[in-house]
Amino acid sequence: MNFRLIIILQLFIIIAVTCSAERNDNSEMPVEQKSIKPELNTWYYTNLNDSLIYFRINILKENYAEGEFFLLEKSPYAKKGKFKVKIKDNKYELSYRDKVVEMKVLTSARNENIVFIYSLRKKPFMSIFNRWEEPKTLLAAKYREPDYETFPKRYKEKVFSDVNVKNDIVYGKAKGYWTSYPAEEESYINILLNGILSTLNKKDLELKADVYFPAGDTIKERPFIMFVHGGAFYIGDKQSNAMVEFCRYFTSLGYVTASINYRLGFIPLGSEVERAGYRALQDAHAAMRYFVENRTSFGIDTSKIFVGGSSAGGITALNLVFMRNNNRPKSSFKNLLNDDLGKIESSGNNIKRNFSIKSVINMWGAVDNTDILKNSKASVISFHGDADIVVPINCDYPFKDIQANFSSLILNKVCGSLEIHIKLRELERKEELYILKNKGHSPHVDAANKLNDVFYFICSKSTDFLYSELLPECARIYTYPKTIGKRASSFYVVDCNNFKQIYWRIKGGLITGTKNNTVRVVWFDDEPEHKLFASVLFDNGISEVLEYGF
């Protein structure tokens, strides 16, 4: 064993021996020794010849001690050695690897660290006049785990108790029949009859939205979710119970959210329902352009935009993400009976803004043709009852609850969530589909229109899904330099620049240093598990505990 290890092992003698009561040996050098009892099973370290040496006492008795040590080297694993200390005939003897070292302690003291002066016994042929070498001093510091804390799980858990709302923000104007019809408890027939008189003439309409903000938030740019209510493009309102609670729920997580009204109503003839759906798309597009244009005043991060909707709102949300002008329904163009409705982005307001939507929360929505799913790489999470006869989960005619197949006379077939996700998987898009067994249409409310367990299930699953979209791709622990697969390494890094704070924690080893987003560790091969954790707070307020194990 080299000289520096001999020196540090002599340190073990000092730590162990001075744990006993104060002593005086009658040797040639006076000894002034204080009881400096170290903590058992606690690592200490010292720097010797520019090398770090770690040691700890595991067993401590009156005249006996055992411990272990290692030298911090390039290897990711600590090459631990064991030692024993005995006090015999007023001498301190260290045994390791069939060797014995003898020494004496002159002075020692301890608070959090241990300072000691010691002297080694000279070799026999050098000890004619003086048996002890010149005194030496060493400092041993107690190892402390780095500070570690986790951050509030913004966007995954409720972090805001209060929500501020700005109601009736006008995002556009357009000609139409009406934009609000809160009639969720009426039958289809009654609704259609009551609306016939209102569809005789179009009028100028203001398109409005309610916007929800987390109260007291300090982050200037937040992810944004725009919700679109359902109602067969005929009824509904932005302040329906479900839409309000969706907005409040996600805002309490830290999002900015909005619920929009859009043009409703149609004459129940031919392709009028399809045209109503296209007008809804135009209005949703106008609303999103408005929010992107005013992103600073709303505190929106336009790189993190999401849209969600139920029923007709789900259809509108899907079309907003995936439909392009070359996919416009034929009924939206001019014909003998109708004017051209124009391009998707040509209505509502004159704002010219592009946007990209990251994900869709689709609740029992559908598309006319699954081929439009090729137009965007946005991810989709869907919820759909397998007993839904209003919007089918597969490809079929909607509103099959209307007698005499009336729906097939005025409606086209649509493809619901099951067909959508089959196509998304074919396209290798990120997607999740939750088929609600034996559930019909709008299963998130009960017969009294009260929110139920399905509503909270949707909130929970959507929270996790959107959170995974917000988490930066770099949010992983890597070996440094990077290697293939997970393995032991001396250095690890979270290779992100957009972080505010990182805390590290380890199981099965010690953290020996940190700098910015990098950590140095040493592993113990005799531990049952080896895991490294990084608690990271990113600039956008999202936090995550990353884990690396092997």
Side-chain angles (χ1 to χ4, degrees):
M1 175 156 305
N2 61 34
F3 180 73
R4 61 185 178 184
L5 287 184
I6 292 176
I7 296 297
I8 192 57
L9 291 177
Q10 292 159 357
L11 165 64
F12 301 150
I13 297 178
I14 298 170
I15 303 301
V17 172
T18 55
C19 295
S20 59
E22 294 185 0
R23 296 170 177 270
N24 287 314
D25 71 11
N26 297 316
S27 58
E28 300 156 7
M29 298 185 66
V31 176
E32 180 187 349
Q33 179 179 305
K34 299 178 181 179
S35 178
I36 59 166
K37 203 166 191 175
E39 296 179 28
L40 291 181
N41 301 308
T42 297
W43 288 101
Y44 292 81
Y45 64 93
T46 187
N47 192 311
L48 187 66
N49 297 332
D50 295 325
S51 296
L52 279 176
I53 302 172
Y54 288 75
F55 65 92
R56 68 179 179 183
I57 306 296
N58 298 330
I59 299 175
L60 184 62
K61 299 180 181 179
E62 176 68 19
N63 294 312
Y64 178 81
E66 289 185 10
E68 55 188 338
F69 68 95
F70 68 88
L71 176 67
L72 189 63
E73 299 178 302
K74 291 183 179 180
S75 170
Y77 286 105
K79 298 177 181 178
K80 290 192 288 188
K82 296 184 180 298
F83 65 90
K84 296 180 181 180
V85 176
K86 293 182 180 180
I87 303 174
K88 185 177 181 180
D89 298 329
N90 229 20
K91 297 178 182 178
Y92 306 147
E93 292 183 350
L94 165 71
S95 301
Y96 66 95
R97 296 180 182 175
D98 299 326
K99 294 183 180 181
V100 177
V101 177
E102 185 177 350
M103 66 175 296
K104 67 188 301 183
V105 179
L106 280 70
T107 62
S108 59
R110 172 179 178 262
N111 41 43
E112 285 299 311
N113 302 325
I114 298 173
V115 183
F116 56 92
I117 300 174
Y118 65 96
S119 182
L120 299 178
R121 183 164 188 133
K122 292 181 179 178
K123 294 181 180 179
F125 65 88
M126 298 176 62
S127 59
I128 297 175
F129 301 104
N130 187 352
R131 293 187 302 160
W132 303 100
E133 294 181 357
E134 289 296 318
K136 297 181 176 65
T137 302
L138 276 180
L139 168 68
K142 178 182 176 180
Y143 171 80
R144 289 189 173 279
E145 294 183 355
D147 291 338
Y148 183 83
E149 65 179 72
T150 57
F151 303 96
K153 297 288 286 187
R154 183 177 179 129
Y155 310 122
K156 199 167 188 178
E157 297 174 355
K158 181 178 179 179
V159 293
F160 295 95
S161 56
D162 295 323
V163 172
N164 295 329
V165 186
K166 290 184 178 180
N167 292 311
D168 295 328
I169 294 173
V170 178
Y171 68 83
K173 296 180 180 180
K175 285 190 175 294
Y177 301 121
W178 60 85
T179 60
S180 176
Y181 190 158
E184 296 170 339
E185 297 180 4
E186 292 188 44
S187 67
Y188 298 138
I189 298 300
N190 287 338
I191 291 170
L192 289 172
L193 291 175
N194 291 334
I196 286 177
L197 292 177
S198 298
T199 57
L200 295 179
N201 293 295
K202 292 182 180 178
K203 47 185 171 289
D204 293 328
L205 301 172
E206 286 188 333
L207 307 174
K208 299 178 181 180
D210 297 337
V211 184
Y212 297 72
F213 306 88
D217 194 10
T218 57
I219 293 180
K220 294 182 179 180
E221 295 184 348
R222 289 74 57 93
F224 175 62
I225 311 175
M226 187 176 80
F227 286 98
V228 189
H229 68 78
F233 304 112
Y234 210 86
I235 64 171
D237 185 79
K238 58 185 171 61
Q239 293 187 353
S240 68
N241 190 29
M243 291 299 109
V244 169
E245 291 307 313
F246 276 130
C247 287
R248 286 190 171 277
Y249 169 79
F250 281 98
T251 303
S252 75
L253 305 183
Y255 292 85
V256 175
T257 64
S259 178
I260 67 168
N261 275 346
Y262 54 93
R263 284 173 289 173
L264 301 172
F266 52 83
I267 301 171
L269 295 173
S271 57
E272 285 299 309
V273 178
E274 188 174 62
R275 285 173 64 86
Y278 185 74
R279 288 192 293 268
L281 167 60
Q282 288 180 310
D283 293 350
H285 199 283
M288 192 63 81
R289 295 196 308 273
Y290 174 84
F291 289 121
V292 171
E293 175 73 9
N294 295 279
R295 59 194 178 278
T296 302
S297 61
F298 290 119
I300 291 172
D301 182 350
T302 56
S303 69
K304 299 174 179 65
I305 294 176
F306 308 97
V307 63
S310 61
S311 191
I315 293 171
T316 303
L318 289 165
N319 284 336
L320 179 61
V321 175
F322 295 106
M323 185 180 285
R324 303 293 181 262
N325 282 310
N326 60 352
N327 308 122
R328 283 176 55 183
K330 291 181 180 180
S331 63
S332 67
F333 293 92
K334 183 176 181 179
N335 54 43
L336 294 175
L337 299 177
N338 296 303
D339 294 332
D340 190 340
L341 293 177
K343 293 183 178 180
I344 295 171
E345 68 278 8
S346 67
S347 179
N349 54 49
N350 295 321
I351 297 172
K352 307 295 182 184
R353 281 286 181 180
N354 294 324
F355 55 83
S356 177
I357 296 174
K358 291 180 70 70
S359 301
V360 186
I361 304 173
N362 164 42
M363 293 171 276
W364 39 98
V367 295
D368 289 339
N369 189 329
T370 58
D371 285 340
I372 68 170
L373 301 175
K374 299 176 183 178
N375 293 332
S376 173
K377 293 184 178 180
S379 59
V380 181
I381 182 170
S382 293
F383 306 87
H384 214 131
D386 60 1
D388 193 337
I389 57 176
V390 176
V391 178
I393 194 172
N394 46 28
C395 291
D396 206 343
Y397 289 104
F399 294 100
K400 281 201 164 183
D401 54 340
I402 299 178
Q403 295 181 354
N405 292 324
F406 177 71
S407 63
S408 64
L409 299 178
I410 63 171
L411 300 173
N412 297 322
K413 281 186 176 182
V414 295
C415 292
S417 299
L418 180 58
E419 297 296 328
I420 288 171
H421 284 264
I422 289 172
K423 185 66 175 182
L424 289 171
R425 292 180 186 181
E426 177 186 316
L427 296 171
E428 297 182 341
R429 301 286 193 261
K430 181 179 177 181
E431 51 77 34
E432 288 182 16
L433 169 62
Y434 293 93
I435 298 176
L436 308 174
K437 298 295 184 182
N438 303 316
K439 299 293 185 181
H441 199 63
S442 298
H444 63 320
V445 293
D446 59 22
N449 204 36
K450 302 292 185 182
L451 302 178
N452 58 26
D453 290 344
V454 173
F455 173 86
Y456 297 104
F457 175 80
I458 292 169
C459 288
S460 174
K461 294 300 181 181
S462 298
T463 296
D464 292 342
F465 189 80
L466 298 192
Y467 185 84
S468 69
E469 289 292 311
L470 292 174
L471 196 64
E473 292 184 6
C474 61
R476 293 174 56 193
I477 299 175
Y478 299 90
T479 58
Y480 182 80
K482 291 183 180 180
T483 58
I484 298 174
K486 293 189 175 182
R487 61 183 66 185
S489 175
S490 297
F491 295 91
Y492 296 88
V493 63
V494 176
D495 197 13
C496 294
N497 295 319
N498 59 333
F499 69 93
K500 286 186 175 181
Q501 185 70 53
I502 298 181
Y503 293 100
W504 296 92
R505 184 165 64 91
I506 195 171
K507 285 185 178 180
L510 297 180
I511 293 174
T512 60
T514 62
K515 184 178 181 181
N516 297 328
N517 56 342
T518 305
V519 63
R520 183 174 184 181
V521 306
V522 60
W523 298 103
F524 300 142
D525 57 7
D526 56 350
E527 291 291 335
E529 62 178 344
H530 299 90
K531 290 183 178 180
L532 182 65
F533 303 89
S535 174
V536 188
L537 176 64
F538 294 94
D539 291 341
N540 64 354
I542 196 169
S543 65
E544 181 69 357
V545 175
L546 310 176
E547 180 178 331
Y548 187 102
F550 60 90

